[in-house]
PDB file of all heavy atoms in Angstrom:
ATOM      1  N   THR A 107      25.729 -35.547  31.398  1.00 97.00           N
ATOM      2  CA  THR A 107      25.410 -35.093  32.752  1.00 97.00           C
ATOM      3  C   THR A 107      26.587 -34.276  33.405  1.00 97.00           C
ATOM      4  O   THR A 107      27.790 -34.373  32.972  1.00 97.00           O
ATOM      5  CB  THR A 107      25.167 -36.216  33.615  1.00 97.00           C
ATOM      6  OG1 THR A 107      26.201 -37.346  33.629  1.00 97.00           O
ATOM      7  CG2 THR A 107      23.927 -37.110  33.215  1.00 97.00           C
ATOM      8  N   PHE A 108      26.334 -33.491  34.393  1.00 95.00           N
ATOM      9  CA  PHE A 108      27.309 -32.742  35.018  1.00 95.00           C
ATOM     10  C   PHE A 108      26.911 -32.542  36.478  1.00 95.00           C
ATOM     11  O   PHE A 108      26.022 -33.124  37.006  1.00 95.00           O
ATOM     12  CB  PHE A 108      27.689 -31.411  34.254  1.00 95.00           C
ATOM     13  CG  PHE A 108      26.567 -30.514  34.222  1.00 95.00           C
ATOM     14  CD1 PHE A 108      26.382 -29.417  35.048  1.00 95.00           C
ATOM     15  CD2 PHE A 108      25.462 -30.526  33.264  1.00 95.00           C
ATOM     16  CE1 PHE A 108      25.294 -28.529  35.034  1.00 95.00           C
ATOM     17  CE2 PHE A 108      24.448 -29.713  33.035  1.00 95.00           C
ATOM     18  CZ  PHE A 108      24.355 -28.607  34.043  1.00 95.00           C
ATOM     19  N   GLY A 109      27.774 -31.766  37.172  1.00 92.00           N
ATOM     20  CA  GLY A 109      27.383 -31.603  38.585  1.00 92.00           C
ATOM     21  C   GLY A 109      27.708 -32.667  39.539  1.00 92.00           C
ATOM     22  O   GLY A 109      28.449 -33.677  39.121  1.00 92.00           O
ATOM     23  N   LEU A 177      19.651 -28.572  30.129  1.00 98.00           N
ATOM     24  CA  LEU A 177      20.023 -27.502  29.431  1.00 98.00           C
ATOM     25  C   LEU A 177      20.253 -27.907  27.843  1.00 98.00           C
ATOM     26  O   LEU A 177      20.009 -29.089  27.519  1.00 98.00           O
ATOM     27  CB  LEU A 177      21.469 -26.986  29.901  1.00 98.00           C
ATOM     28  CG  LEU A 177      21.623 -26.746  31.415  1.00 98.00           C
ATOM     29  CD1 LEU A 177      23.023 -26.162  31.653  1.00 98.00           C
ATOM     30  CD2 LEU A 177      20.600 -25.762  31.916  1.00 98.00           C
ATOM     31  N   VAL A 206      27.595 -21.661  24.969  1.00 95.00           N
ATOM     32  CA  VAL A 206      28.853 -21.644  25.669  1.00 95.00           C
ATOM     33  C   VAL A 206      28.583 -21.759  27.311  1.00 95.00           C
ATOM     34  O   VAL A 206      29.098 -22.585  27.899  1.00 95.00           O
ATOM     35  CB  VAL A 206      29.661 -20.397  25.464  1.00 95.00           C
ATOM     36  CG1 VAL A 206      30.873 -20.370  26.331  1.00 95.00           C
ATOM     37  CG2 VAL A 206      30.064 -20.344  23.970  1.00 95.00           C
ATOM     38  N   ARG A 207      27.591 -21.018  27.810  1.00 95.00           N
ATOM     39  CA  ARG A 207      27.372 -21.145  29.129  1.00 95.00           C
ATOM     40  C   ARG A 207      26.732 -22.495  29.501  1.00 95.00           C
ATOM     41  O   ARG A 207      27.069 -23.038  30.585  1.00 95.00           O
ATOM     42  CB  ARG A 207      26.395 -20.035  29.604  1.00 95.00           C
ATOM     43  CG  ARG A 207      27.014 -18.547  29.689  1.00 95.00           C
ATOM     44  CD  ARG A 207      26.163 -17.714  30.435  1.00 95.00           C
ATOM     45  NE  ARG A 207      24.885 -17.362  29.735  1.00 95.00           N
ATOM     46  CZ  ARG A 207      24.709 -16.262  29.143  1.00 95.00           C
ATOM     47  NH1 ARG A 207      25.660 -15.366  28.929  1.00 95.00           N
ATOM     48  NH2 ARG A 207      23.439 -16.028  28.669  1.00 95.00           N
ATOM     49  N   SER A 208      25.944 -23.004  28.584  1.00 96.00           N
ATOM     50  CA  SER A 208      25.324 -24.375  28.918  1.00 96.00           C
ATOM     51  C   SER A 208      26.384 -25.455  28.822  1.00 96.00           C
ATOM     52  O   SER A 208      26.194 -26.512  29.646  1.00 96.00           O
ATOM     53  CB  SER A 208      24.374 -24.683  27.796  1.00 96.00           C
ATOM     54  OG  SER A 208      23.189 -23.758  27.911  1.00 96.00           O
ATOM     55  N   LEU A 209      27.411 -25.350  28.037  1.00 96.00           N
ATOM     56  CA  LEU A 209      28.606 -26.300  27.988  1.00 96.00           C
ATOM     57  C   LEU A 209      29.437 -26.229  29.207  1.00 96.00           C
ATOM     58  O   LEU A 209      30.108 -27.253  29.486  1.00 96.00           O
ATOM     59  CB  LEU A 209      29.346 -26.153  26.667  1.00 96.00           C
ATOM     60  CG  LEU A 209      28.720 -26.586  25.412  1.00 96.00           C
ATOM     61  CD1 LEU A 209      29.532 -25.902  24.272  1.00 96.00           C
ATOM     62  CD2 LEU A 209      28.704 -28.015  25.358  1.00 96.00           C
ATOM     63  N   ASN A 210      29.539 -25.154  29.892  1.00 94.00           N
ATOM     64  CA  ASN A 210      30.496 -24.904  30.926  1.00 94.00           C
ATOM     65  C   ASN A 210      30.478 -25.980  32.054  1.00 94.00           C
ATOM     66  O   ASN A 210      31.499 -26.548  32.449  1.00 94.00           O
ATOM     67  CB  ASN A 210      30.340 -23.516  31.658  1.00 94.00           C
ATOM     68  CG  ASN A 210      31.005 -22.393  30.788  1.00 94.00           C
ATOM     69  OD1 ASN A 210      31.817 -22.701  29.878  1.00 94.00           O
ATOM     70  ND2 ASN A 210      30.743 -21.275  30.990  1.00 94.00           N
ATOM     71  N   GLY A 211      29.278 -26.249  32.400  1.00 93.00           N
ATOM     72  CA  GLY A 211      29.060 -27.270  33.510  1.00 93.00           C
ATOM     73  C   GLY A 211      29.724 -28.631  33.139  1.00 93.00           C
ATOM     74  O   GLY A 211      30.401 -29.198  33.990  1.00 93.00           O
ATOM     75  N   CYS A 212      29.367 -29.098  32.021  1.00 95.00           N
ATOM     76  CA  CYS A 212      30.028 -30.410  31.628  1.00 95.00           C
ATOM     77  C   CYS A 212      31.452 -30.340  31.436  1.00 95.00           C
ATOM     78  O   CYS A 212      32.139 -31.217  31.826  1.00 95.00           O
ATOM     79  CB  CYS A 212      29.366 -30.892  30.156  1.00 95.00           C
ATOM     80  SG  CYS A 212      27.623 -31.415  30.330  1.00 95.00           S
ATOM     81  N   ARG A 213      31.981 -29.202  30.866  1.00 95.00           N
ATOM     82  CA  ARG A 213      33.339 -29.189  30.514  1.00 95.00           C
ATOM     83  C   ARG A 213      34.184 -29.059  31.911  1.00 95.00           C
ATOM     84  O   ARG A 213      35.186 -29.715  31.979  1.00 95.00           O
ATOM     85  CB  ARG A 213      33.579 -27.885  29.665  1.00 95.00           C
ATOM     86  CG  ARG A 213      33.231 -28.138  28.333  1.00 95.00           C
ATOM     87  CD  ARG A 213      33.241 -26.845  27.449  1.00 95.00           C
ATOM     88  NE  ARG A 213      34.451 -26.060  27.578  1.00 95.00           N
ATOM     89  CZ  ARG A 213      35.547 -26.299  26.976  1.00 95.00           C
ATOM     90  NH1 ARG A 213      35.660 -27.183  26.143  1.00 95.00           N
ATOM     91  NH2 ARG A 213      36.649 -25.371  27.185  1.00 95.00           N
ATOM     92  N   VAL A 214      33.659 -28.335  32.745  1.00 93.00           N
ATOM     93  CA  VAL A 214      34.336 -28.165  34.009  1.00 93.00           C
ATOM     94  C   VAL A 214      34.406 -29.520  34.919  1.00 93.00           C
ATOM     95  O   VAL A 214      35.391 -30.037  35.410  1.00 93.00           O
ATOM     96  CB  VAL A 214      33.707 -27.122  35.036  1.00 93.00           C
ATOM     97  CG1 VAL A 214      34.272 -27.164  36.446  1.00 93.00           C
ATOM     98  CG2 VAL A 214      34.013 -25.625  34.404  1.00 93.00           C
ATOM     99  N   THR A 215      33.199 -30.225  34.896  1.00 94.00           N
ATOM    100  CA  THR A 215      33.069 -31.522  35.680  1.00 94.00           C
ATOM    101  C   THR A 215      34.047 -32.484  34.993  1.00 94.00           C
ATOM    102  O   THR A 215      34.783 -33.203  35.666  1.00 94.00           O
ATOM    103  CB  THR A 215      31.706 -32.004  35.622  1.00 94.00           C
ATOM    104  OG1 THR A 215      30.684 -31.009  36.040  1.00 94.00           O
ATOM    105  CG2 THR A 215      31.541 -33.300  36.436  1.00 94.00           C
ATOM    106  N   ASP A 216      34.142 -32.677  33.687  1.00 94.00           N
ATOM    107  CA  ASP A 216      34.888 -33.553  33.011  1.00 94.00           C
ATOM    108  C   ASP A 216      36.311 -33.293  33.303  1.00 94.00           C
ATOM    109  O   ASP A 216      37.262 -34.151  33.368  1.00 94.00           O
ATOM    110  CB  ASP A 216      34.682 -33.568  31.542  1.00 94.00           C
ATOM    111  CG  ASP A 216      33.337 -34.292  31.194  1.00 94.00           C
ATOM    112  OD1 ASP A 216      32.783 -34.971  32.144  1.00 94.00           O
ATOM    113  OD2 ASP A 216      32.886 -34.280  30.066  1.00 94.00           O
ATOM    114  N   VAL A 255      30.967 -26.808  42.331  1.00 62.00           N
ATOM    115  CA  VAL A 255      32.414 -26.789  42.149  1.00 62.00           C
ATOM    116  C   VAL A 255      33.092 -25.985  43.319  1.00 62.00           C
ATOM    117  O   VAL A 255      34.158 -26.453  43.836  1.00 62.00           O
ATOM    118  CB  VAL A 255      32.814 -26.291  40.683  1.00 62.00           C
ATOM    119  CG1 VAL A 255      34.361 -26.232  40.759  1.00 62.00           C
ATOM    120  CG2 VAL A 255      32.298 -27.245  39.717  1.00 62.00           C
TER     121      VAL A 255
END
Side-chain angles (χ1 to χ4, degrees):
T107 59
F108 61 98
L177 310 183
V206 171
R207 288 199 292 263
S208 297
L209 285 166
N210 278 346
C212 290
R213 285 168 51 80
V214 169
T215 306
D216 286 352
V255 173

